[in-house]
Amino acid sequence: MEKINIRRTLELMRYDLTINRKRYLTSLVLVVIFTAGFMLWAMRFAMHANMEGQVDIDSRSELFVIMTGTTLCYTSLAFLLGLLTQVHDYVLCDKQSRQAFFMLPVTNAERFVSRQLTAVLFLLAMPVLIALARLVSLAFLPLLGSVNAEAVNGFMLWDILTNMKQHFLPENLHFENSGYYASFLFLWGAFTLGAILFQKRSFAKILFCVIAYVLIGAKILMHSLWLGIVPVSPTALWWAHGLLWLVGGLWLGYRLLARTQLTRPGLLKR
Amino acid sequence: MIEVSHLSYRYGRKRPAVFENVSFRLEPGRIYGLLGKNGTGKSTLLYLLSGLLFPQEGSVKYHGLEMRERRPEALGDLYLLPETFRLPNMSLKNYVRLHAPFYPNYSEQLMHSSLEEFDLTPDVHLGQLSMGQQKKAYLSFALATNTSLLLMDEPSNGLDIPSKSQFRRAVARAMTDERTVVISTHQVGDVEALIDRVMIIGNTRLLLDRRAEDITQRLAFRMVRPDETATPIYSQHTLGGEAGIFTRQAGEDETKLNLELLFNATLTAGERMEQVFTNLEK
């Protein structure tokens, strides 16, 4: 593992945020518009869903649709943000940018940590953006027609987004698993498409997506097995599942960056 | 300071070799002129020296550090000024504020003096500058990084006539005994007076690597006289007559280094040139 110098990492983060500030700001505005659009749609057309208790939640089959929709929305946002800002790849978009970026005297680990910190920054900004989007959608709602009881229930989407954790508890996994995995498959599908469209030659990225698909498949299999046969507490399983994603995601991300940031002939060709 | 040993490099297995078993050293306090025909690998060599590309065989060591490891200590002590570049749309002050912290020896004073040399002020906005002015601002920053190794790829491209001499003065001013500058160029006239070591590459190897003063001590660059008795090592037709390179005779005045002639001679009469230097070394 390479050394990480905090000062250099923060300088790199400042460099990234400053160089890409217009792209980041545009993306944030797009996130607000996208979320507001989704909320408007949900408030206008969402089915009647009373979510006061777990019994209500379990009894309503249409909630599954909402869950899938919100998960899709959430992951799409993350994807949209990632794609538009090209959090990992903007600086690699052309030969000149790659040269400038690679000549900066920092380690790959510092580049990775700096990018992760930027991602965390955006993650922290997400609830604020969603709240903002909600305000925007509230302001626009009267333009679309009268607010009825069903539309009011749409606001519960906010609760789903903010209290998502409880829906990912192992006991609920059977319920929302499909939406969860569907959303991730959608995310990675879009990611692969983005990789093909925007980085035609980036085989490493496509390979990374394939690995991600395999991991998701393995995780689905693992869950099915664990839930059925392994006698572990739900909480332990939840933490194991979270930890696996955190470690696996970070490791894969690091390997990807370490791999692509080793400047190879291909990186200087275009 | 930079030790290149048995370096071999090719862009892909099926592509022809750019370098095969090339070895040389870059010493501090010198300005190297890197010359070569189009596509012979001048830029590639700069990328290899700066750790942007990795040799398939051999090594590039900077103060003992392998460049392929891309250690921040090594990268922070060298600067590559590429031929083509894209500066962000921001003020020069902001650009410096963002980039300078990565270079521990960055000198604000050198930045100001270089900008002054190029008739620029520190408060310019990069997005509002012409390409040539951008290059001057970028050159100023490259010089101000004060790195021990400065690699410049076609630095005088895009500079107007007065700026070329400003460039020479700025580089000369930024030179120190600890600093090494490598200038890769086709514009030999722009750097003739500046360089003190000539490197010519071609046919996957280093064809010539000599100090300018050694070259002018051993070779004479002059017009071929009508009553010439000595056979030139190389000659070519020019507008002013037949220009040639001769072995310098005892008592003959030292002539000015003619890089264009030397370059053509090395490419077309490489063996004879090599022979002259080898014979004189014996």
Side-chain angles (χ1 to χ4, degrees), chain A residues 2 7-8 11-16 18-19 21-23 90 93-108 110-111 261-266 268-269, chain B residues 9-12 15 47 50-54 56 68-80 82-86 88-90 94 97-99 101-103 138:
Chain A
E2 292 166 317
R7 189 190 62 80
R8 277 200 306 255
E11 289 291 354
L12 189 64
M13 195 175 159
R14 184 170 76 139
Y15 170 90
D16 179 36
T18 313
I19 297 273
R21 66 189 184 284
K22 280 183 186 166
R23 282 174 180 79
Y90 167 64
C93 66
D94 59 31
K95 185 177 167 178
Q96 286 89 352
S97 311
R98 282 193 290 272
Q99 275 177 345
F101 186 63
F102 289 130
M103 283 315 294
L104 289 175
V106 291
T107 62
N108 285 340
E110 284 158 3
R111 285 195 179 98
Q261 288 187 5
L262 287 177
T263 46
R264 303 173 81 79
L268 291 179
K269 271 182 194 168
Chain B
Y9 185 78
R10 63 178 71 223
Y11 284 98
R15 306 277 296 273
Y47 297 153
S50 56
L52 279 176
L53 294 177
F54 305 152
Q56 273 100 21
R68 66 161 64 235
E69 287 173 14
R70 298 179 48 75
R71 301 267 288 270
E73 309 90 81
L75 291 176
D77 200 29
L78 69 88
Y79 198 86
L80 169 71
E83 183 184 2
T84 52
F85 57 89
R86 196 179 60 172
N89 189 16
M90 59 172 60
N94 252 344
R97 205 174 295 142
L98 277 183
H99 290 79
F102 293 106
Y103 298 95
Y138 197 17

Side-chain angles (χ1 to χ4, degrees), chain B residues 30 196-197 209-219 221 248 254 257 277 280-281:
Chain B
R30 296 198 176 282
D196 51 21
R197 192 160 183 122
D209 180 15
R210 298 276 164 189
R211 290 197 312 167
E213 59 181 272
D214 288 345
I215 296 169
T216 50
Q217 266 174 19
R218 288 158 193 190
L219 298 172
F221 298 84
R248 191 173 159 218
E254 195 172 300
L257 175 66
F277 284 105
L280 286 166
E281 272 165 7

